[in-house]
């Protein structure tokens, strides 16, 4: 290929210096025919106005050879017909939710070889790329309106909770106008969790956007009827409560809610790329809330205003929907209390106070708690367990039963789930003396003052001359409770005087309580 510089030398020598073609060819080092062709092309191009044509001036266009359009020997009309037929089948599968069963380019090439066509994979690939390029999608840029729309999506997060790795689901909401974000961690993606995420997001926003946008998740879309999609009953209840409209993306068109798609990846990276181990799930939720709050204080990349301040503008535009009662995101059902005084929900057992065995009770399950009701009275409240075949038990629900079956206390499931402080008290002071331990549990159930009981035990352990008994623990805890009610700052004089009184009583009677291992 002759360089552009030599072509320009030929034209400059001819037009400006008036040299002959033969002399120009000798100086530039080109054949006289090439020089003649350059000059003739330039003289011809000067007669045309190329300002409105997709061509350049002849003297700035590099030399080129004419492209040879040879006949394709392998890509015949029969091959093209077969390839287009298979591409049409792929299009049909995409339209009928069978996109994972499409033929790839390598499959099309293998099928052509099986039919006896001698063609290379490269030829097939290039032809398919040209065919698919004709059907490139055109995207319409949207203009966000304040307070109109919010987008929702789930994201998976893998975290170390306690000592074990768990896969959690992160619910994410994003306002397209302000790019304000909300995120919360759940252990599942069930309908109750979706409803609870909506209630928490609206409570944080303090207004309800006009439209909520989703993809075709099972908790939102019940089924497809042709091109129509039916909304689930749970999402219809949420939309009717908050008075918002539901917009669904087209299948496999995540770009239609691109703000939240980007937010899922952005929040997950900003939050859990730096820290992925937490003591419990609540600590992970608090950490995520702090990170999201920090991200919302950043400035919008275009408007140079903080995301939170832009959200306040949206709240002002939607002031009519600000005062909304929170949605009750829970599932209500009836269950019979079994012989262990528990009710079963989704293969897990939750304890119920004694005296209800065999009775029917109402169970209200939310995303985080399980509450048991009997005639509008709340009998028990438990943290919801998302594992299977687990027993969630409260030791205070079985105190009267343990008074009859004291030997069952040491190896009971409810003692193993009791607070660690209670387990330590039993292991250190009450093994073989279950009767007094049950008296202490009964006192704790009535007064709900475990901290004062622990403080009383600590004070008794300071004096080796005083024996630690249940009566003395209750006496000291009660004295501290009465002092706390009388004065906001309890002094040490009451505790010291109480210890002196207990020491005198102990020296007077010289009693020692002995327990029996039942």
């Amino acid at each position: 290929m002759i360089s552009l510089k030599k072509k320009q030398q030929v034209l400059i020598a001819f037009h400006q210096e008036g040299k002959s073609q033969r002399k120009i060819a000798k100086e530039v080092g080109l054949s006289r025919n090439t020089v003649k062709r350059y000059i003739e092309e330039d003289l011809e191009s000067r007669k045309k106005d190329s300002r409105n044509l997709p061509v350049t001036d002849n003297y700035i266009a590099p030399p080129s050879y004419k492209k040879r359009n040879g006949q394709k020997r392998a890509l015949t009309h029969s091959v093209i017909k077969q390839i287009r037929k298979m591409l049409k089948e792929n299009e049909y599968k995409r339209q009928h939710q069978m996109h994972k069963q499409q033929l790839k380019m390598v499959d099309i090439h293998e099928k052509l070889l099986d039919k006896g066509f001698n063609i290379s994979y490269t030829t097939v690939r290039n032809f398919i790329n040209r065919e698919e390029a004709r059907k490139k999608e055109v995207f319409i840029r949207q203009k966000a309106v304040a307070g109109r729309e919010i987008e929702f999506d789930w994201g998976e997060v893998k975290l170390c909770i306690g000592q074990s790795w768990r896969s959690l689901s992160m619910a994410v909401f994003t306002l397209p106008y302000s790019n304000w974000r909300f995120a919360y961690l759940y252990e599942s993606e069930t309908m109750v969790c979706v409803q609870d995420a909506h209630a928490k997001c609206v409570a944080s926003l303090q207004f309800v956007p006009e439209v909520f946008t989703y993809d075709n998740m099972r908790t939102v879309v019940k089924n497809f009827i042709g091109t129509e999609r039916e909304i689930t009953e749970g999402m219809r209840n949420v939309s009717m409560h908050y008075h918002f409209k539901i917009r669904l993306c087209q299948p496999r068109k995540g770009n239609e809610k691109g703000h939240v798609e980007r937010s899922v990846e952005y929040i997950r990276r900003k939050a859990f790329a730096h820290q992925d181990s937490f003591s419990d799930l609540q600590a992970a939720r608090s950490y995520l809330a702090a990170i999201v709050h920090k991200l919302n204080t950043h400035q919008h990349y275009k408007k140079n205003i903080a995301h939170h301040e832009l959200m306040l503008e949206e709240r002002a535009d939607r002031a009519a929907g600000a005062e909304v009662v929170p949605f009750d995101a829970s599932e209500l059902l009836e269950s019979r209390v079994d012989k262990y005084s528990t009710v079963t929900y989704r293969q897990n057992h939750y304890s119920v106070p004694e005296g209800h065995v065999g009775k029917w009770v109402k169970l209200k399950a939310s995303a985080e708690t399980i509450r048991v009701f009997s005639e509008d009275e709340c009998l028990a409240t438990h943290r919801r367990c998302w594992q299977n075949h687990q027993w969630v038990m409260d030791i205070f629900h079985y105190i009267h039963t343990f008074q009859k079956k004291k030997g069952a206390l040491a190896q009971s499931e409810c003692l193993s789930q009791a607070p660690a402080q209670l387990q330590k008290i039993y292991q250190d002071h009450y093994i073989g003396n279950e009767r007094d331990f049950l008296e202490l549990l009964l006192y704790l159930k009535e007064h709900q003052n475990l901290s004062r009981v622990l403080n009383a035990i600590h004070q008794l352990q300071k004096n080796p001359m005083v024996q630690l008994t249940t009566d003395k623990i209750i006496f000291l805890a009660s004295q501290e409770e009465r002092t706390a009610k009388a004065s906001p700052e309890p002094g040490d004089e009451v505790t010291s005087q109480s210890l002196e009184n207990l020491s005198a009583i102990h020296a007077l009677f010289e009693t020692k309580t002995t327990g029996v291992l039942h």
Side-chain angles (χ1 to χ4, degrees), residues 184-251:
Y184 198 82
L185 289 176
Y186 291 92
E187 298 190 60
S188 177
E189 298 181 7
T190 58
M191 177 60 71
V192 171
C193 295
V194 174
Q195 293 175 338
D196 185 74
H198 281 69
K200 284 183 169 59
C201 179
V202 171
S204 181
L205 281 172
Q206 298 182 23
F207 76 93
V208 182
E210 184 180 350
V211 178
F212 279 61
T213 302
Y214 312 90
D215 56 19
N216 295 276
M217 57 184 70
R218 283 297 177 187
T219 50
V220 178
V221 179
K222 186 175 181 180
N223 52 42
F224 288 81
I225 304 176
T227 58
E228 298 295 327
R229 287 163 287 183
E230 184 180 357
I231 305 299
T232 57
E233 192 68 27
M235 284 308 303
R236 187 179 289 109
N237 293 338
V238 177
S239 65
M240 291 177 64
H241 179 84
Y242 287 117
H243 301 288
F244 63 80
K245 301 175 184 178
I246 294 178
R247 184 176 76 86
L248 299 175
C249 299
Q250 294 298 319

Side-chain angles (χ1 to χ4, degrees), residues 285-312:
R285 285 170 173 167
S286 300
Y287 171 78
L288 176 61
I291 294 296
V292 173
H293 176 73
K294 180 181 178 182
L295 295 177
N296 286 332
T297 59
H298 293 175
Q299 288 191 345
H300 195 280
Y301 71 102
K302 275 189 176 181
K303 303 172 183 177
N304 295 325
I305 304 175
H307 302 300
H308 180 72
E309 295 180 8
L310 289 172
M311 184 272 288
L312 296 180

Side-chain angles (χ1 to χ4, degrees), residues 125-376:
R125 181 196 63 195
N126 293 339
F127 176 77
I128 293 176
N129 288 337
R130 289 195 299 271
E131 287 289 302
E132 296 292 341
R134 299 176 185 175
K135 305 174 184 178
K136 288 289 184 179
E137 183 178 2
V138 177
F139 296 94
I140 307 299
R141 182 171 178 80
Q142 301 293 303
K143 182 178 177 59
V145 179
R148 170 171 171 75
E149 187 177 8
I150 189 170
E151 300 172 357
F152 171 76
D153 201 5
W154 287 104
E156 185 180 5
V157 179
K158 203 164 189 178
L159 300 177
C160 182
I161 305 297
Q163 301 295 328
S164 60
W165 287 92
R166 293 162 61 182
S167 292
L168 302 175
S169 296
M170 182 173 66
V172 180
F173 289 87
T174 303
L175 292 169
Y177 176 80
S178 62
N179 223 16
W180 180 89
R181 301 175 176 96
F182 174 84
Y184 198 82
L185 289 176
Y186 291 92
E187 298 190 60
S188 177
E189 298 181 7
T190 58
M191 177 60 71
V192 171
C193 295
V194 174
Q195 293 175 338
D196 185 74
H198 281 69
K200 284 183 169 59
C201 179
V202 171
S204 181
L205 281 172
Q206 298 182 23
F207 76 93
V208 182
E210 184 180 350
V211 178
F212 279 61
T213 302
Y214 312 90
D215 56 19
N216 295 276
M217 57 184 70
R218 283 297 177 187
T219 50
V220 178
V221 179
K222 186 175 181 180
N223 52 42
F224 288 81
I225 304 176
T227 58
E228 298 295 327
R229 287 163 287 183
E230 184 180 357
I231 305 299
T232 57
E233 192 68 27
M235 284 308 303
R236 187 179 289 109
N237 293 338
V238 177
S239 65
M240 291 177 64
H241 179 84
Y242 287 117
H243 301 288
F244 63 80
K245 301 175 184 178
I246 294 178
R247 184 176 76 86
L248 299 175
C249 299
Q250 294 298 319
R252 298 175 302 281
K253 295 292 183 182
N255 58 284
E256 295 184 5
K257 56 179 181 64
H259 291 85
V260 74
E261 292 280 347
R262 181 74 174 88
S263 293
V264 169
E265 183 273 333
Y266 183 68
I267 294 175
R268 180 168 49 202
R269 176 167 51 85
K270 290 295 183 181
F272 301 115
H274 301 282
Q275 182 178 350
D276 55 14
S277 298
F278 302 91
S279 58
D280 53 23
L281 181 57
Q282 190 57 41
R285 285 170 173 167
S286 300
Y287 171 78
L288 176 61
I291 294 296
V292 173
H293 176 73
K294 180 181 178 182
L295 295 177
N296 286 332
T297 59
H298 293 175
Q299 288 191 345
H300 195 280
Y301 71 102
K302 275 189 176 181
K303 303 172 183 177
N304 295 325
I305 304 175
H307 302 300
H308 180 72
E309 295 180 8
L310 289 172
M311 184 272 288
L312 296 180
E313 294 181 10
E314 298 192 72
R315 181 188 296 174
D317 291 342
R318 293 286 297 173
E323 298 180 0
V324 181
V325 178
F327 181 78
D328 184 10
S330 59
E331 182 181 3
L332 186 64
L333 65 155
E334 287 189 332
S335 179
R336 187 190 291 270
V337 182
D338 60 18
K339 63 180 181 180
Y340 296 105
S341 190
T342 63
V343 290
T344 304
Y345 175 72
R346 294 188 180 272
Q347 304 180 7
N348 291 324
H349 293 259
Y350 299 90
S351 65
V352 178
E354 304 155 300
H356 296 84
V357 175
K359 297 181 180 179
W360 286 91
V361 294
K362 292 183 178 180
L363 191 147
K364 198 170 187 179
S366 65
E368 300 180 21
T369 59
I370 299 290
R371 288 180 290 176
V372 183
F373 292 87
S374 177
E375 297 180 355
D376 298 332

Side-chain angles (χ1 to χ4, degrees), residues 46-59:
R46 288 174 180 275
K47 298 177 183 179
K48 298 179 181 178
D49 187 357
S50 62
R51 289 175 297 178
N52 297 324
L53 298 176
V55 295
T56 60
D57 290 333
N58 185 49
Y59 58 88

Side-chain angles (χ1 to χ4, degrees), residues 414-428 437:
C414 51
L415 179 61
S416 67
Q417 296 185 22
Q421 300 95 325
L422 272 183
Q423 295 186 43
K424 182 173 175 56
I425 291 173
Y426 176 77
Q427 296 293 335
D428 294 345
F437 182 68

Side-chain angles (χ1 to χ4, degrees), residues 385-417:
C385 178
W386 288 94
Q387 303 175 18
N388 293 324
H389 308 293
Q390 302 296 315
W391 294 72
V392 182
M393 311 191 78
D394 188 345
I395 192 171
F396 296 106
H397 292 169
Y398 299 89
I399 294 178
H400 296 294
T401 302
F402 280 131
Q403 289 176 345
K404 301 176 183 178
K405 304 177 181 180
K406 300 179 181 64
L409 177 63
Q411 302 296 325
S412 65
E413 178 72 28
C414 51
L415 179 61
S416 67
Q417 296 185 22

